[in-house]
Every structure is written in structure tokens, then in C-alpha cells.
Amino acid sequence: MELRQLRERSGLSREQVAEVTEINRATLYRIETAQAKPQVRTLRALLDVYGVTERHRDDLVGILKLAGEESWLHAPSESLPDQYATYIGFEQEARAVLDYQSSFVPGLLQTAAYARAAIPGGALELPTEEIETRVTARMARQSERDSPLTIKVIIDEAALRRRVGSPEIMREQLQRLLDESERPHVTLQVIPFAAGVHPGMQGSFVILQFAEGAHDVVYIEASVRDLFLESESDVTRYNRVFEKLRSMASSPDESRDLITRILADT
């Protein structure tokens, strides 16, 4: 993300950088979208073109070296898919997340038991080890940050009524949602069945918002390949959809009342 911002501040396109550095344009895209890690010499070549100061260069080289260390984010690809790791990286850098979910409770608000029951439903024949790796990663995403992540969540009522795991797991999850909804940095709304047809019925999505000057990213999880959309038109379109869903959803207080009623019936 930092490399992308440096390039854009320099007024250069990927094509222009590729011509100057002889780095493949596709490779530049993969580096800027966290799908590939640059070699140190590649990083230094890019920083030369962008006119980066020595102190900033040292910081970026240090980040690159840290990226090679093993952690829950850098688990083997067969245990934690590259695209999921890419999403986690974006999420760690974001200041706010706008999350609409039609089928499941959002990952940032899931209990471990709910996640363990939900994850196999999104992929066929996942080994137990991979399920546990993903649960661990999901719980780590919920860890406290120095600056709390602003979370705005809209959930379709169907996701709250669909049983994932046992009744006990669902009761624990619904109570977790009630608890999380009271936190100052969390806004939770539910689209009730009574709202009828709405634009979110086409599928779930997440909008990741970053500090001023950085491009927002739309994330769409799919069974074959996850999508990261960053064009201004795509981001604008999904922001409009989210605002439409927000206007159709029950208020936070009404949503808590609905969740309480569902919990009582579970």
C-alpha cells in the first residue's frame, strides 16, 4: 500500500515505472496489491524512482524484512490462503470497516465456536488443521489495537436466524453481537425480513477505509477467487450500496431488540 501511494504521489503510472525500472507491470501490480513480496533490490529500485528519503527507505526495508518472519498472518499457504492473508493485511492497515453480510455473522464479531462451525460451510472438505488455522487467524483479527478499528456492520436477518452449529453456539453468538453492539466503535444494524427486496441480496461485501490520502478497497469473498476492487467507480458504487442498506436497515436500538427476540427463540 505504501509503495502504491509513493508511486501515485510521484505522478507515475505503473506503465511508466515499469519502463524506467524494467520491472514487469504485472509484478508491480502484484506487489502493490500484496500478492507478491519484492526482493530487496527491487524495493530499492522503486524507492530510487520515487525519490524516497533515506530514513523512509530504511523503514520500508525494515518492513520488508519483517514480512519474512513467521506469524499467524504468514502461515503456510495451504493453511491460510494467500487472498485471505492479503485481506488481513489490508484490515490491519484500515481505520474503518464497512461490512455487509447476508449469510454469516461478520468475522470480526464471531465467537470461536461459531467460526469453527461456519468455516467448513464456505469450502468443501477442509482438513481439521486448516479449519483451526483459520479460526486462530479470525480470533487474532479481533485483538485490541492501539487505535480501535471503526466497525460498521449490516447483517441480513437471515444470517441471525440460520443455525450455525448447535443452539448453544448460536445463543453464545447472538449474545456476543449484543455485547459488541454496545461498544463505542461498533455500529450494528440488521435488515429485517420486513424490508423486502434490497440490493444486498446480490451478495456480501466489505469496504476497507484507510487514512486520508489512501484509496479504499472493496473485498468480495467468492468460492473460486476473492476479489479486491480499488477503482474509484467500484468503491463509489459499493459505498452507495452500503448507504442504501443502512437506510433500509433497522436502527441500532431496534436491531438490538430484534437480536434479543431471536436469542429468546433460539
Side-chain angles (χ1 to χ4, degrees):
M1 187 183 303
E2 181 67 17
L3 287 172
R4 182 178 64 200
Q5 292 178 30
L6 287 170
R7 175 179 58 76
E8 291 173 347
R9 291 190 196 117
S10 300
L12 299 171
S13 66
R14 289 195 183 102
E15 290 80 1
Q16 290 171 317
V17 174
E19 184 177 351
V20 172
T21 62
E22 297 185 351
I23 299 171
N24 185 278
R25 187 172 58 184
T27 299
L28 282 174
Y29 176 82
R30 286 175 54 77
I31 290 172
E32 290 186 357
T33 56
Q35 297 179 46
K37 186 173 66 176
Q39 296 181 345
V40 173
R41 66 174 179 272
T42 301
L43 175 61
R44 293 190 183 278
L46 293 173
L47 300 182
D48 286 342
V49 173
Y50 304 149
V52 177
T53 62
E54 192 63 33
R55 181 175 179 179
H56 198 178
R57 292 167 68 96
D58 292 342
D59 289 341
L60 290 171
V61 171
I63 290 173
L64 177 59
K65 292 178 178 178
L66 285 173
E69 295 184 3
E70 187 71 18
S71 69
W72 64 271
L73 176 58
H74 299 101
S77 58
E78 64 270 15
S79 298
L80 193 62
D82 289 343
Q83 290 173 316
Y84 185 40
T86 298
Y87 173 79
I88 293 172
F90 278 130
E91 189 179 81
Q92 287 184 321
E93 296 292 334
R95 62 174 177 82
V97 168
L98 312 183
D99 194 339
Y100 165 70
Q101 294 296 323
S102 61
S103 301
F104 293 101
V105 169
L108 286 172
L109 303 181
Q110 290 180 6
T111 66
Y114 181 97
R116 191 169 288 110
I119 288 171
L124 299 176
E125 300 180 355
L126 279 180
T128 301
E129 296 79 5
E130 182 170 349
I131 293 173
E132 288 305 314
T133 297
R134 295 195 189 190
V135 171
T136 299
R138 192 160 296 182
M139 294 304 101
R141 287 167 52 202
Q142 302 175 10
S143 301
E144 293 292 337
R145 300 173 12 158
D146 293 337
S147 179
L149 177 68
T150 297
I151 303 172
K152 297 182 180 180
V153 166
I154 300 175
I155 309 174
D156 193 290
E157 183 178 345
L160 302 179
R161 293 192 179 276
R162 179 176 292 104
R163 197 179 84 180
V164 175
S166 66
E168 291 76 15
I169 288 174
M170 283 304 301
R171 285 194 288 269
E172 180 189 26
Q173 179 60 72
L174 292 169
Q175 184 60 55
R176 168 76 184 277
L177 289 177
L178 291 173
D179 295 341
E180 291 290 333
S181 70
E182 299 289 348
R183 303 182 74 181
H185 62 282
V186 176
T187 302
L188 191 156
Q189 293 178 261
V190 177
I191 297 183
F193 288 147
V197 177
H198 60 79
M201 294 174 71
Q202 295 182 2
S204 304
F205 63 90
V206 180
I207 303 172
L208 298 153
Q209 297 182 330
F210 303 95
E212 186 176 353
H215 291 290
D216 295 346
V217 173
V218 176
Y219 172 71
I220 301 173
E221 186 175 2
S223 58
V224 176
R225 181 176 178 82
D226 298 348
L227 300 176
F228 293 92
L229 308 178
E230 55 181 336
S231 71
E232 184 176 352
S233 61
D234 285 333
V235 172
T236 298
R237 178 161 56 92
Y238 275 94
N239 269 293
R240 287 175 178 167
V241 172
F242 192 86
E243 283 304 306
K244 179 64 175 178
L245 293 173
R246 188 183 63 79
S247 68
M248 296 181 69
S250 300
S251 71
D253 286 340
E254 292 170 338
S255 297
R256 280 191 287 270
D257 290 342
L258 176 56
I259 294 172
T260 300
R261 294 196 299 272
I262 295 174
L263 176 58
D265 294 337
T266 301

